[in-house]
Amino acid sequence: MRKLAAGNWKMNGSAAALAEVKALIAAHPATSCDMLLCPPATLVARMAEVATGSALSVGGQDCHAQGSGAHTGDISAQMLVDAGASHVILGHSERRADHLETDALVQAKTIAAQAAGLTAIVCVGETEAQRDAGKTLAVIGGQLDGSLPPDMNRPDALVIAYEPVWAIGTGRTPTLDEVAEVHAHIRAAVINRYGAAAQGMRLLYGGSVKASNAAAIFALPNVDGALVGGASLKAADFAPIVAALTQA
Ligand code: 13P
């Protein structure tokens, strides 16, 4: 399986930030892993243009479950494809919290994204209170049950990102054993749901990944890459994470 180093720019970046994309492409003209950046919607088309012919793919951070219609402010999966995207992040904890996205809505978006030809990166993760209450695996299991599509389609058309909410943007991470435990649980859940082919589905870890902790996380079983926030904004921070994944 090709591993995936994915960056989520969140609500950051303007045209000037495309210089970082050029620097990243120059640092990794060809890689043995897949490299993806998901900028704000305003930059998808321009970033895709910069990335043409390079090792970098471009994705969105959300899409609507419908293909078109009266949904002011939203964009559809087809529109992301039209802008040059190949992936879309769905069900990020910030969207679940800020926009009250439910598992059922995330599932509907995932189905729409795959139907449009996008690879869906579905995010799951527990809050600190849920972890402290010993509910981590149950919470993740429930999110997977409710958010994943009934069919996997190709194993490479669906990616799961495990992002503990309390580790996002905090500099804190679970222990390596805790990451391995959750990833093993997710692997078992997707094999149970989709069959043995889900062995080939990529499971990403996200939450305060940086160059200094990437190699240890990537060495864990069932960790097939990362979804990186803050450290994906600058090529100088993201390129070493991509390098660590190519060596994992
Ligand atoms: P940070 O890497 O900034 O913790 O963000 C992780 C994340 O939410 C990626 O989607």
Side-chain angles (χ1 to χ4, degrees):
M1 159 200 330
R2 276 177 71 83
K3 299 190 173 180
L4 174 62
N8 174 10
W9 277 18
K10 309 189 178 185
M11 199 172 73
N12 297 291
S14 52
L18 295 172
E20 294 296 330
V21 180
K22 290 175 187 157
L24 179 67
I25 291 168
H28 290 288
T31 65
S32 55
C33 69
D34 289 337
M35 193 165 67
L36 169 73
L37 284 178
C38 300
T42 48
L43 280 181
V44 167
R46 276 176 287 178
M47 189 182 286
E49 211 171 291
V50 169
T52 301
S54 80
L56 179 71
S57 299
V58 177
Q61 298 176 10
D62 176 49
C63 70
H64 198 277
Q66 302 295 319
S68 64
H71 302 288
T72 302
D74 279 312
I75 54 173
S76 70
Q78 287 89 336
M79 290 169 181
L80 285 174
V81 172
D82 184 52
S86 53
H87 295 65
V88 63
I89 298 168
L90 295 170
H92 192 282
S93 61
E94 288 152 14
R95 291 206 61 86
R96 290 178 186 262
D98 295 354
H99 299 273
L100 308 180
E101 293 199 2
T102 61
D103 288 337
L105 181 62
V106 175
Q107 183 189 51
K109 291 180 174 196
T110 304
I111 293 168
Q114 289 194 329
L118 294 171
T119 293
I121 302 175
V122 176
C123 302
V124 295
E126 83 286 1
T127 63
E128 186 157 33
Q130 289 165 334
R131 176 163 283 276
D132 289 347
K135 293 185 180 152
T136 298
L137 297 183
V139 167
I140 306 282
Q143 289 174 332
L144 293 172
D145 279 350
S147 306
L148 294 182
D151 301 313
M152 169 175 64
N153 294 308
R154 302 182 325 276
D156 61 345
L158 188 59
V159 176
I160 295 169
Y162 167 52
E163 299 204 316
V165 177
W166 53 273
I168 294 174
T170 59
R172 298 165 57 207
T173 56
T175 66
L176 294 174
D177 283 349
E178 287 167 344
V179 174
E181 180 190 35
V182 173
H183 277 243
H185 186 75
I186 296 173
R187 181 70 71 198
V190 293
I191 289 174
N192 185 43
R193 189 179 181 103
Y194 300 122
Q199 197 71 52
M201 184 187 297
R202 287 168 297 184
L203 310 184
L204 311 183
Y205 169 77
S208 296
V209 174
K210 42 190 186 287
S212 57
N213 62 16
I217 293 169
F218 294 153
L220 295 170
N222 294 305
V223 175
D224 310 308
L227 182 55
V228 183
S232 72
L233 293 170
K234 298 279 179 216
D237 296 327
F238 195 48
I241 295 173
V242 177
L245 190 56
T246 63
Q247 285 152 24

